[in-house]
Amino acid sequence: SKGLLFPSHDSAFMSKHLEEHKEGKVLFICYDRNILKQSIANFTKYGFKVSAYGDGIKNLSGDVVVATIQSLQNIENPTKVLSKITMCAIDEVHHGKAPTTKSIATKLKNCDYYLGLTSTPFKEGTLEFAELACIVGPVIFEYGFKEATQGNSIAPVKCFILKMPYN
């Protein structure tokens, strides 16, 4: 399997993957219900057939399944239920060293690609970095802040200093 770490959803990569794996699905793992809802909206906007598994919803029918890690840990027979997953994207992958994430990742028997997404910097050669590499594989691409702002992937940051008198 191949792993990637960078800080944005790569819809073009997922689209290409789904074209090549007609029977496959993408599992997008997130860590809270707000990101679940935001991700569903984003993937839907890009034209994906999206379903949710989390926040009381248990639907695995979409080409892209957006799920919270908490909901996935409660699936009965996950190896069978998740057998059509051929690509797994883990948002906030720096949380991925948790036993729950490792447990789910090892049950994705037909997964060809693991995509780790984070904006948290890691120092190579640390135990934390090695633990993440065990889940998503080695870093093969990084997309930094400078490239993201120049490529319009994120909004430019503007900082204003307001001087206020203290009385």
Side-chain angles (χ1 to χ4, degrees):
S1 64
K2 297 176 181 145
L4 304 145
L5 288 169
F6 59 94
S8 64
H9 300 13
D10 191 343
S11 60
F13 185 78
M14 290 183 190
S15 294
K16 184 70 174 157
H17 177 78
L18 289 169
E19 281 177 27
E20 293 173 0
H21 298 83
K22 297 285 186 207
E23 299 300 315
K25 294 176 180 278
V26 172
L27 175 63
F28 184 84
I29 299 174
C30 56
Y31 287 86
D32 68 51
R33 62 182 357 159
N34 294 323
I35 300 298
L36 176 91
K37 292 173 184 175
Q38 180 183 351
S39 298
I40 291 168
N42 287 339
F43 288 122
T44 301
K45 180 175 69 177
Y46 288 113
F48 291 106
K49 181 182 170 201
V50 182
S51 62
Y53 200 91
D55 199 23
I57 303 167
K58 295 185 177 183
N59 181 353
L60 297 167
S61 66
D63 293 329
V64 175
V65 177
V66 181
T68 60
I69 194 68
Q70 297 86 350
S71 296
L72 290 174
Q73 73 183 3
N74 296 322
I75 290 180
E76 288 186 36
N77 197 358
T79 303
K80 181 179 178 187
V81 172
L82 301 173
S83 65
K84 291 192 177 192
I85 303 298
T86 54
M87 179 181 177
C88 177
I90 305 171
D91 192 34
E92 303 294 339
V93 74
H94 55 275
H95 296 299
K97 59 185 190 261
T100 306
T101 307
K102 290 178 188 176
S103 174
I104 295 299
T106 59
K107 291 176 175 69
L108 301 173
K109 300 299 182 192
N110 297 317
C111 194
D112 297 321
Y113 295 94
Y114 290 88
L115 177 66
L117 306 169
T118 186
S119 294
T120 301
F122 290 100
K123 186 174 180 183
E124 286 193 53
T126 63
L127 177 60
E128 185 177 39
F129 191 84
E131 287 176 325
L132 291 176
C134 288
I135 295 171
V136 296
V139 175
I140 60 173
F141 179 75
E142 290 186 56
Y143 191 64
F145 179 78
K146 184 176 179 180
E147 295 90 356
T149 54
Q150 290 174 343
N152 293 325
S153 295
I154 62 173
V157 175
K158 293 182 181 180
C159 182
F160 300 97
I161 298 174
L162 301 173
K163 291 186 178 183
M164 299 181 68
Y166 293 102
N167 293 353

